[in-house]
Amino acid sequence: MKEIAKKVFDIEIESLKHVASTIGDEFTATVEAILGSKGKLIVAGVGKSGLIGRKIAATLASTGTPSFFLHPGEAFHGDLGMVEANDMVILISYSGETDEVLKIIPFLKWNKNTIISITGNPNSTIAKNSDHHLNVCITREACPLELAPTSSTTTTLVMGDALAVALMEARQFQHEDFARFHPGGSLGRKLVVKVKDLMRRDNLPFIDKNASFTDLLLCMSEGKLGLVIVGNSSHIEGVITDGDLRRALLRNPDTSQLHIHDMMTVNPVIITPEEYISQAEQLMIEKKIATVLVGSVDKRKIEGVYQIYNS
């Protein structure tokens, strides 16, 4: 069975390379037309082409091009009301002769919509009635019966990805832009959410520099942060991490000889509450620390603690 899988990969890669070799000025013209549009980019298709179209529309929408999928059958029965005159429409049909797609072309022309088609036949009815045509003609389907759309759907999907990426590059779409459209994902949280939104504020493990070793252990245990903060919220003198504590014990197992001021790091890393999570975590990775103090660097005033693995 693994040989069959490898053969499918080989056939589809062959088709992708073939389509890539045929990409020319029409692709550039299509991208420029979309960039110049003041409307939405609507994607339509049925069957397997429709499923690919849904993914293309979703990718476009999440990367800076307002887009949605429109089913041609539903469109023919009223949903064409969603299509405004300044919208552009991508019609997907490998044969270029899909009946449901053909039926909505007269409306699109009457409505003066710019039509982009993705087909495997530049001489098809849909291609000829388009303002821009992207050819995804394949060498062969991976299906041994040459019936199930396999290579053809793959090349169509990649053509959609190519459009989305080209538009991203042209618009200089950045991480921050992507995050705005994905606020619920981990990337969105890191690029939009600030440290102040996720830091721990309450019951911070502050301890006096003259406290006993036993008090130090209790404070670190109850704080559950793997460190204690020497001083108070208005002014800190340093921090002691569980790593500092272990190293001190290895040097001198006699706890009566261990003093807080000898174990603490007097210049701990402090970041401001307004730092973005992405910036904070990059700094923490560089410093090889999992916990950072949040507050005023100059005044050494602490408002909270942020831990990288709690984001």
Side-chain angles (χ1 to χ4, degrees):
M1 288 298 173
K2 66 181 182 180
E3 293 305 319
I4 295 176
K6 290 179 180 179
K7 184 178 180 181
V8 171
F9 272 87
D10 289 340
I11 292 172
E12 299 208 13
I13 289 171
E14 175 188 308
S15 293
L16 285 171
K17 287 181 176 179
H18 173 72
V19 173
S21 69
T22 65
I23 292 176
D25 294 339
E26 183 60 12
F27 181 87
T28 302
T30 301
V31 171
E32 290 175 349
I34 296 171
L35 289 171
S37 172
K38 295 181 179 179
K40 303 177 295 298
L41 185 54
I42 300 168
V43 184
V46 297
K48 305 298 187 299
S49 293
L51 295 173
I52 296 300
R54 289 181 188 275
K55 192 276 177 184
I56 292 173
T59 299
L60 288 165
S62 69
T63 53
T65 302
S67 180
F68 66 85
F69 176 78
L70 178 66
H71 191 285
E74 298 296 329
F76 195 65
H77 291 280
D79 283 359
L80 283 172
M82 299 178 182
V83 184
E84 297 178 296
N86 58 354
D87 291 337
M88 300 182 74
V89 182
I90 297 179
L91 302 178
I92 302 176
S93 165
Y94 186 72
S95 68
E97 303 293 344
T98 304
D99 187 56
E100 295 92 335
V101 177
L102 287 170
K103 284 181 178 179
I104 65 174
I105 289 178
F107 169 84
L108 298 177
K109 287 186 172 293
W110 172 84
N111 204 40
K112 295 182 170 54
N113 296 111
T114 298
I115 301 174
I116 300 167
S117 61
I118 302 178
T119 83
N121 183 2
N123 296 312
S124 63
T125 304
I126 293 174
K128 288 181 177 179
N129 281 278
S130 302
D131 298 286
H132 301 281
H133 176 254
L134 298 176
N135 188 3
V136 290
C137 180
I138 59 170
T139 52
R140 53 176 170 161
E141 296 283 11
C143 168
L145 301 177
E146 289 283 332
L147 296 174
T150 44
S151 301
S152 57
T153 47
T154 299
T155 53
T156 302
L157 178 62
V158 175
M159 183 64 78
D161 287 342
L163 274 178
V165 172
L167 290 165
M168 287 176 68
E169 292 280 354
R171 291 192 173 108
Q172 297 184 327
F173 195 81
Q174 301 298 316
H175 289 84
E176 293 77 9
D177 302 309
F178 188 85
R180 281 201 299 274
F181 298 133
H182 298 75
S186 59
L187 178 60
R189 290 198 302 275
K190 289 182 178 180
L191 292 174
V192 176
V193 177
K194 295 183 177 181
V195 171
K196 66 181 180 181
D197 300 317
L198 297 179
M199 70 182 186
R200 174 172 155 182
R201 301 172 182 270
D202 302 322
N203 302 315
L204 298 179
F206 289 107
I207 192 170
D208 187 88
K209 67 178 180 180
N210 296 315
S212 68
F213 185 82
T214 301
D215 290 336
L216 170 61
L217 288 179
L218 288 172
C219 185
M220 187 173 290
S221 178
E222 291 173 357
K224 298 179 180 179
L225 287 173
L227 58 74
V228 296
I229 307 169
V230 183
N232 54 56
S233 59
S234 298
H235 183 79
I236 69 154
E237 299 184 52
V239 296
I240 299 175
T241 67
D242 53 3
D244 294 329
L245 184 59
R246 288 194 300 272
R247 286 187 288 271
L249 286 170
L250 285 172
R251 289 194 301 267
N252 187 358
D254 184 358
T255 59
S256 65
Q257 299 298 315
L258 297 177
H259 303 288
I260 287 177
H261 58 80
D262 295 325
M263 290 184 282
M264 70 181 185
T265 299
V266 295
N267 292 308
V269 178
I270 303 175
I271 61 174
T272 69
E274 295 298 321
E275 290 272 12
Y276 287 105
I277 293 297
S278 59
Q279 297 170 321
E281 295 193 352
Q282 182 60 42
L283 174 64
M284 294 165 77
I285 291 170
E286 291 173 1
K287 298 289 186 180
K288 298 181 180 180
I289 55 176
T291 305
V292 67
L293 304 183
V294 184
S296 170
V297 179
D298 297 332
K299 298 180 180 179
R300 296 174 71 87
K301 182 178 179 181
I302 300 304
E303 298 179 36
V305 172
Y306 175 70
Q307 290 186 307
I308 194 168
Y309 49 81
N310 283 337
S311 63

